Amino acid sequence: MACFVTVGTTLFEDLINQVLSEKCVENLKKVGVKSIKLQIGKGNFEKSTLDRVFGELADKSDQGKANYQGINVEFYRFKPSISGDMSEAFIIIGHAGAGTCLEALALQKPFITVTNDKLMDNHQTELADKLSDDGHLLQCTPMTLADSILNENLFKLRPFKPAAKNLVAEHIRELVGVQKLQ
Amino acid sequence: MFFFFFFVTAVILFGILLVTAFLSFLVRHSNHSSKIKPKKANASLCAVLGSGGHTTEMLELIKNFDNEFNMRIYIIADTDTISEDKAVAHEKSRNNEKFVVEKIPRSREVGQSYFSSVFSTLNSCRFAFKLIYRTRPDLVLLNGPGTCIPVAFAAAFFDIIRLIDTVIVYEESICRVNKLSLSGAILYYLGMVDSLIIQWPELKKRYPRAIYIKDFKEKST
């Protein structure tokens, strides 16, 4: 029962700090999470978070492990592919990037996107907004993350069915005038 | 006086010729034309790989093609090595040797000044025209950022002067829910694409000539 947190290639320190706040960890435990894995990208934890969770870990570490309130916490910056961590996870919390959204939705797992409310005019969230309106994922800001974890809709998300690209391909073949090779 | 008269007439006639050529291009490439395309055994495909998510989406579509497109040209921005690796990996995975990766100068880097971007756009246009003239693709696939515009213009130009017969298809990114991207809007309003495919029904209301991706139906044969 792992919770996987990813910020992709963005800088989103509010999210990684907020996930490890006392309130969030407590709520994650309530829904049955036993371990937390974070992909933190370029950002760094705040000093207070580091002291509280990791004890004596240096300021700008690239990876680390700890046991905090009976939960295994682990973090790293980047990996060539995070799909392994995603498919192992029980709950996914991510930034609102399109790639992350689509990958998480394909796995059909409880999924929360956290919008960076400090970015002005963040058009990257257009897709996440729409998917949240349609009930495929939960959307929140760092401040409301703890409440979203306990939101009962998290476990009743509607599966997202992506469009069938083979039909598009068929349409294009027709336009060009070639036939599919058997 | 006579010279002036002939000059004006020549300009007007040339203008009429251009307009007619463009109109006939629009008719040939509009969704409503019901002409029967001559069947070909195989064709060449030219795809512009934008970057990041655009590349992923494009390869997702191209994965549905097999050897009916037996020659493939991938165009990438010259600063984008990741897309090149992805394209090469995809072609390796289907054991295809007949493909090339062409690098086009970026028309505008992030943060570049407006004035110097005019020159770099001209530069990428020159490159695109040479490339399309040389490769003459049967299909041009586009899905996104600025680099695809020069390629679209080049393909449309050579189609207007009837040097090649090219189908241009633009697939808007799934990220666009309420509004087409700038590239998409340019191609939509100029009518330069045979099909402009959108992934959300909201866009269909605003751009009725576009095709909603879930309106494609399985053929019952």
Side-chain angles (χ1 to χ4, degrees):
Chain A
M1 300 293 252
C3 168
F4 181 57
V5 182
T6 173
V7 302
T9 52
T10 62
L11 175 80
F12 199 174
E13 295 185 331
D14 283 358
L15 171 59
I16 57 177
N17 284 303
Q18 195 60 39
V19 169
L20 292 182
S21 69
E22 280 169 35
K23 188 105 192 283
C24 276
V25 172
E26 194 181 301
N27 289 352
L28 281 171
K29 269 161 91 176
K30 274 188 204 158
V31 294
V33 169
K34 298 273 185 288
S35 66
I36 303 176
K37 200 181 247 185
L38 302 102
Q39 183 262 316
I40 63 169
K42 293 178 212 153
N44 292 302
F45 289 107
E46 273 166 19
K47 190 88 182 80
S48 60
T49 313
L50 278 178
D51 289 344
R52 190 161 43 81
V53 181
F54 298 99
E56 294 182 350
L57 202 63
D59 226 8
K60 287 181 176 165
S61 304
D62 290 336
Q63 54 188 334
K65 267 185 196 174
N67 193 294
Y68 176 64
Q69 295 188 4
I71 283 193
N72 286 320
V73 182
E74 192 186 327
F75 74 89
Y76 60 87
R77 285 195 187 277
F78 295 105
K79 257 188 198 177
S81 168
I82 58 165
S83 7
D85 288 328
M86 275 217 180
S87 49
E88 278 169 17
F90 159 63
I91 293 180
I92 302 171
I93 299 176
H95 73 123
T100 309
C101 284
L102 295 175
E103 202 173 341
L105 287 177
L107 295 169
Q108 305 204 349
K109 300 196 174 201
F111 178 42
I112 304 176
T113 60
V114 186
T115 314
N116 195 348
D117 46 4
K118 283 189 188 152
L119 286 183
M120 295 290 282
D121 187 32
N122 191 347
H123 75 95
Q124 292 285 352
T125 65
E126 198 176 318
L127 178 65
D129 292 342
K130 172 68 186 161
L131 291 169
S132 134
D133 288 349
D134 290 357
H136 300 299
L137 52 83
L138 282 191
Q139 201 177 21
C140 66
T141 62
M143 289 323 289
T144 58
L145 178 60
D147 297 330
S148 295
I149 293 168
L150 289 186
N151 189 330
E152 55 183 19
N153 291 330
L154 180 56
F155 295 95
K156 296 183 204 154
L157 296 174
R158 291 172 52 205
F160 175 72
K161 200 167 158 273
K165 290 280 168 105
N166 59 331
L167 299 182
V168 181
E170 187 52 47
H171 169 73
I172 293 173
R173 271 194 289 266
E174 234 164 65
L175 281 177
V176 180
V178 289
Q179 251 151 7
K180 187 175 183 169
L181 296 180
Q182 295 305 321
Chain B
M1 189 62 205
F2 273 116
F3 178 76
F4 180 73
F5 175 75
F6 283 122
F7 181 75
V8 170
T9 319
V11 167
I12 291 172
L13 284 178
F14 190 64
I16 292 174
L17 175 74
L18 286 185
V19 170
T20 321
F22 186 67
L23 285 180
S24 64
F25 171 86
L26 289 185
V27 171
R28 273 202 309 283
H29 289 259
S30 71
N31 291 344
H32 310 286
S33 76
S34 57
K35 68 165 178 173
I36 296 161
K37 283 257 176 184
K39 289 273 180 245
K40 288 177 242 178
N42 40 42
S44 60
L45 173 161
C46 169
V48 181
L49 301 180
S51 58
H54 290 291
T55 301
T56 314
E57 280 191 75
M58 181 57 86
L59 289 175
E60 207 58 29
L61 174 61
I62 291 179
K63 272 176 195 151
N64 291 292
F65 295 130
D66 200 358
N67 268 340
E68 65 266 26
F69 290 103
N70 61 346
M71 178 61 207
R72 288 151 185 233
I73 304 130
Y74 293 101
I75 302 180
I76 60 168
D78 52 4
T79 47
D80 184 11
T81 50
I82 301 167
S83 293
E84 179 172 13
D85 294 345
K86 281 187 187 162
V88 172
H90 169 63
E91 291 301 329
K92 284 259 161 65
S93 75
R94 47 186 295 276
N95 290 322
N96 180 22
E97 299 272 300
K98 283 180 74 183
F99 75 98
V100 283
V101 177
E102 301 277 355
K103 294 181 181 175
I104 189 166
R106 228 172 239 234
S107 45
R108 190 173 174 275
E109 288 290 350
V110 176
Q112 192 183 343
S113 83
Y114 181 73
F115 184 71
S116 69
S117 77
V118 172
F119 290 100
S120 47
T121 304
L122 284 180
N123 192 28
S124 37
C125 280
R126 190 177 58 96
F127 184 91
F129 274 79
K130 266 157 76 178
L131 178 69
I132 296 291
Y133 183 74
R134 187 157 46 85
T135 55
R136 308 200 179 185
D138 298 306
L139 168 67
V140 176
L141 277 180
L142 313 162
N143 79 336
T147 20
C148 77
I149 291 292
V151 179
F153 277 134
F157 174 77
F158 288 118
D159 191 293
I160 286 173
I161 63 170
R162 306 309 295 132
L163 206 59
I164 55 174
D165 211 6
T166 299
V167 172
I168 307 173
V169 175
Y170 182 90
E171 188 195 52
E172 187 55 280
S173 160
I174 195 167
C175 303
R176 297 297 177 151
V177 181
N178 300 313
K179 202 166 168 280
L180 286 180
S181 63
L182 181 61
S183 319
I186 291 174
L187 296 177
Y188 178 84
Y189 287 116
L190 288 180
M192 277 182 8
V193 283
D194 292 68
S195 288
L196 194 143
I197 297 157
I198 49 177
Q199 311 217 23
W200 291 103
E202 284 81 353
L203 285 172
K204 178 80 183 167
K205 284 177 208 139
R206 202 159 160 179
Y207 309 94
R209 280 188 285 119
I211 306 175
Y212 176 42
I213 194 164
K214 288 193 176 163
D215 286 345
F216 292 119
K217 290 280 178 290
E218 203 91 51
K219 280 229 185 68
S220 47
T221 43

